[in-house]
Amino acid sequence: MSRAPRHTRPTGTRQRGPVGLGQLRSSAWNGTIFAVVAVFLVVPSLCFLVQAVSPRLFDQGSSWFTLSSFGQAFSDGLGRAMGDSLVVSAVSALGAVAVAVVLAWLAERTTAVGRRFFLLGLWAVLLAPTYLVAVGWEEIVDQGGLLSDAGLWSAHVQHLVMGPVGVVVVLAFKHVPFAYFAVAPALAAVSGDLEHAVRTHGGGTRSVVRTVGPVLLPALAAGFIIVFAESMGDFGVADTIAATAHFPVATYVLYEAISSFPTNYGVGAVVGLALVGSVAVALGLLAMVQRGRSYAVISGRARPVARRRLTWRGQVVASAFVATIFTGALLVPVLGLVSSSLLIPFRGLHWSSFTLAYYRPLLGVGGLGGPVRFSGEMALVCSLATVVLAAVLARTLSSERSGWARGALNTTLLAAVALPGIVFAAGYIFAFNLPLLSDVGISLYGTVPLLGMAYIATSVPGSSRILLGPLAQIQGSLLSAARVHGAGLLRSWRHGVIPLLARPLVWCTLLAFSGIFLELPVSQMLYPPDTTPMSVAILRVLGKANIGEGTALAVVAVAFTLGVVGAALGLFRLLAPAGWRTWHQAAERPGGGGAPVAATAAVATGAAVASGRGVRPGTEVLAGAGTTNQPAERGAA
């Protein structure tokens, strides 16, 4: 007797059962996370930007739809400001990418002396806010500055630096690390087979560049877009060199519209739309570069690239190039700040010119007892809250059971990090000053809690990207095994997961602390009347022509930040359990896989934190460099 055929489901499909209580709780939790992130990251900025076309929506005008704010904005100079911002950002991005390519080639493909210290120097550049770099350059070339004391002052040099050229130079130097961390992993991951094949067929250096260059196109494009977006949204240079030189840029036009009396939200929203639109166009161009093409050149048979052994002339040229870059990006600003805080102007370089008088009245401007303490406390509290929230978001993004929440959160976070800091701060000013909130008893505008919320909101997107990689490597079986053996949820995390994430959590906290302590746009626009954040105090003293006191306060701020970072790392090394300190170190030893590349990607995604902003979406290109080749040294071909 024949048996009836069975109905089998296709291979690879899952049979879904009824939704359980656990799934409902998970969906509710994910929905709550997404709602909170959207409310504090995106909604305030959207409420602000919509004022460009609909001021009546939030009782800021009589029209439901109008374009009058666009005409007023262009009559106030928006056209010229946007043109200046676009040109400056594009040129600085090209310069930063060009420098980054050379640095990456020296570090990954040659035997250049000191290449192991490149990352240390780039880290130092990352931690320096743009407004401090700009002030340092100003104090070098200004009449009465270091060049003047040394008898080398030139009006032509001062005019050159205190103008569009200076803006481009400072932005390019400051953003070299962003481009480097986009290019270096891709260059290190490209196999030596391509170069070997070209040279086997008689090709020279030019042929190698023409062959390998297209493979690096996504990384080059990502580096350009990151620097372009950071430069478009930068407020530090706009409030220092550009403002002093009367060189209008878009971020400063927005600041003037919001800080004027009466506040012109319509014009500010138009400028914000222009900034966001320019970043969106740049990201669209990046997507076009990557769409429909394959750049996969790494396989299991890929051979490592042999390092090119430089001759003594090559070593001299390489050392001169590296010294020039780090001098412009780091040494010149540091010399400018320190010399201005220790030298009496117009006396020359004599022992009698040195003084500590500028450091003594710091307490008179609320210095060590005011801005340092206030910003230190805010940075400590907000950085800890940032890491906790970032870990929750990273866990949600890395979990396969997050469902719709993963895509929604990813899109929301990318939209948040694409917003320039000045637009984000303006959104918080507008959204939390609405009469609607006052009517329901929510009065946060002009308070310390609102400033803290803005600090956390600006730091969370970048911090979540830093922790996404480490958390994605943690398998759920670790927690499940602990729960099976009777451990609760908190104990499972404390003993099963935290030891593996200790080092990323520490670095993420320190990056957030450094960025919040010296943050400028949010601090400048949201600080309460009875408090003074560190960045506001520095620029306020400098604005009163107290150059020596202002630079002394800047030196104290940088020293305090470096001291906190050093002390925290030292305490972690001394007090943390051995397993917390050695797990990642073992992974980074030879044969440990792609740990160095993962560390580099973490740096790239967290680098903007130092300037108070999250990363740009383009940094995700680094995720493609999951392996790295350990080059072997060889002689010059």
Side-chain angles (χ1 to χ4, degrees):
M1 183 176 181
S2 62
R3 183 177 296 179
R6 296 166 116 188
H7 295 280
T8 58
R9 55 190 178 92
T11 304
T13 61
R14 294 183 179 180
Q15 186 175 2
R16 295 186 178 183
V19 177
L21 182 60
Q23 289 177 307
L24 291 176
R25 289 178 177 175
S26 177
S27 299
W29 171 253
N30 293 333
T32 302
I33 293 177
F34 172 71
V36 171
V37 169
V39 167
F40 289 101
L41 290 183
V42 179
V43 172
S45 298
L46 291 179
C47 292
F48 166 67
L49 294 176
V50 77
Q51 298 306 303
V53 294
S54 183
R56 190 175 178 180
L57 186 63
F58 293 102
D59 297 328
Q60 300 297 313
S62 58
S63 301
W64 286 106
F65 180 81
T66 179
L67 298 178
S68 60
S69 296
F70 286 84
Q72 184 178 353
F74 279 95
S75 64
D76 290 344
L78 175 59
R80 180 187 172 186
M82 278 301 300
D84 292 342
S85 294
L86 289 171
V87 172
V88 164
S89 300
V91 175
S92 62
L94 287 174
V97 170
V99 171
V101 168
V102 178
L103 284 177
W105 181 76
L106 292 174
E108 303 294 342
R109 296 297 183 92
T110 72
T111 60
V113 175
R115 64 183 184 276
R116 300 182 186 275
F117 297 97
F118 287 4
L119 283 179
L120 182 62
L122 292 171
W123 263 96
V125 175
L126 281 175
L127 293 177
T130 51
Y131 66 91
L132 290 185
V133 176
V135 169
W137 271 89
E138 287 180 340
E139 297 310 309
I140 286 287
V141 303
D142 198 11
Q143 192 171 10
L146 185 59
L147 290 181
S148 178
D149 291 334
L152 301 174
W153 179 81
S154 169
H156 178 69
V157 173
Q158 180 183 6
H159 178 72
L160 197 66
V161 174
M162 300 298 294
V165 175
V167 174
V168 171
V169 169
V170 171
L171 288 176
F173 277 140
K174 180 63 183 68
H175 294 141
V176 163
F178 288 92
Y180 178 88
F181 292 129
V183 174
L187 186 61
V190 173
S191 169
D193 292 336
L194 291 176
E195 182 177 349
H196 180 72
V198 174
R199 295 194 180 277
T200 299
H201 289 81
T205 302
R206 183 177 298 180
S207 299
V208 172
V209 172
R210 292 176 59 186
T211 303
V212 177
V215 177
L216 300 176
L217 185 60
L220 295 174
F224 178 87
I225 297 304
I226 295 168
V227 178
F228 177 84
E230 288 288 337
S231 301
M232 282 296 298
D234 183 81
F235 182 66
V237 176
D239 199 28
T240 50
I241 293 180
T244 303
H246 303 289
F247 177 66
V249 291
T251 50
Y252 197 76
V253 172
L254 192 154
Y255 171 71
E256 287 185 323
I258 298 300
S259 60
S260 63
F261 184 82
T263 303
N264 196 332
Y265 287 114
V267 171
V270 172
V271 181
L273 283 176
L275 288 170
V276 174
S278 63
V279 176
V281 170
L283 295 177
L285 293 176
L286 176 62
M288 290 177 59
V289 169
Q290 298 176 339
R291 185 182 299 118
R293 299 182 183 180
S294 176
Y295 300 91
V297 295
I298 303 175
S299 66
R301 299 181 179 180
R303 291 185 296 177
V305 178
R307 287 189 182 273
R308 180 179 296 276
R309 186 179 297 277
L310 298 179
T311 63
W312 70 269
R313 287 190 181 133
Q315 293 285 7
V316 170
V317 173
S319 299
F321 175 81
V322 174
T324 301
I325 298 304
F326 285 109
T327 296
L330 200 60
L331 183 59
V332 168
V334 171
L335 282 177
L337 293 175
V338 174
S339 63
S340 179
S341 66
L342 293 177
L343 293 175
I344 301 175
F346 304 107
R347 284 196 182 181
L349 294 177
H350 305 287
W351 286 111
S352 59
S353 302
F354 288 88
T355 179
L356 295 176
Y358 296 130
Y359 287 88
R360 296 192 187 102
L362 288 181
L363 292 176
V365 295
L368 300 180
V372 172
R373 180 177 179 180
F374 175 75
S375 293
E377 292 175 349
M378 291 294 293
L380 176 61
V381 174
C382 294
S383 62
L384 293 176
T386 294
V387 171
V388 173
L389 294 176
V392 173
L393 293 178
R395 181 63 178 173
T396 303
L397 289 173
S398 61
S399 176
E400 295 182 356
R401 296 185 299 176
S402 299
W404 64 271
R406 179 166 55 180
L409 275 177
N410 189 51
T411 302
T412 303
L413 290 174
L414 289 179
V417 299
L419 284 173
I422 192 72
V423 176
F424 188 89
Y428 260 61
I429 289 178
F430 177 80
F432 290 94
N433 196 27
L434 291 173
L436 176 64
L437 294 181
S438 300
D439 294 340
V440 297
I442 301 177
S443 299
L444 290 174
Y445 179 72
T447 64
V448 173
L450 181 63
L451 179 62
M453 288 166 52
Y455 282 153
I456 296 171
T458 54
S459 301
V460 161
S463 299
S464 63
R465 293 288 165 181
I466 294 176
L467 296 178
L468 178 58
L471 274 168
Q473 295 176 342
I474 302 298
Q475 295 186 0
S477 58
L478 290 176
L479 293 175
S480 300
R483 299 299 298 274
V484 168
H485 287 80
L489 181 61
L490 295 179
R491 187 179 178 186
S492 302
W493 274 89
R494 186 170 67 251
H495 295 287
V497 177
I498 298 299
L500 305 179
L501 299 175
R503 287 167 64 87
L505 289 174
V506 169
W507 276 109
C508 186
T509 304
L510 293 177
L511 280 170
F513 178 91
S514 302
I516 293 172
F517 184 77
L518 296 171
E519 198 277 340
L520 178 61
V522 170
S523 302
Q524 183 84 309
M525 300 187 71
L526 289 177
Y527 74 94
D530 55 342
T531 61
T532 307
M534 177 54 65
S535 58
V536 176
I538 294 172
L539 295 184
R540 179 183 295 176
V541 177
L542 291 173
K544 295 179 181 179
N546 296 329
I547 305 300
E549 293 182 11
T551 53
L553 191 59
V555 171
V556 170
V558 174
F560 179 82
T561 305
L562 295 177
V564 170
V565 172
L569 293 177
L571 290 174
F572 178 78
R573 187 176 184 84
L574 291 174
L575 303 179
W580 293 28
R581 292 183 280 108
T582 59
W583 186 78
H584 275 276
Q585 293 174 355
E588 293 174 3
R589 293 171 187 160
V597 173
T600 303
V603 173
T605 52
V609 180
S611 61
R613 289 293 302 136
V615 295
R616 304 298 172 191
T619 47
E620 289 193 326
V621 174
L622 295 177
T627 59
T628 182
N629 298 317
Q630 301 298 330
E633 296 184 3
R634 66 169 175 85

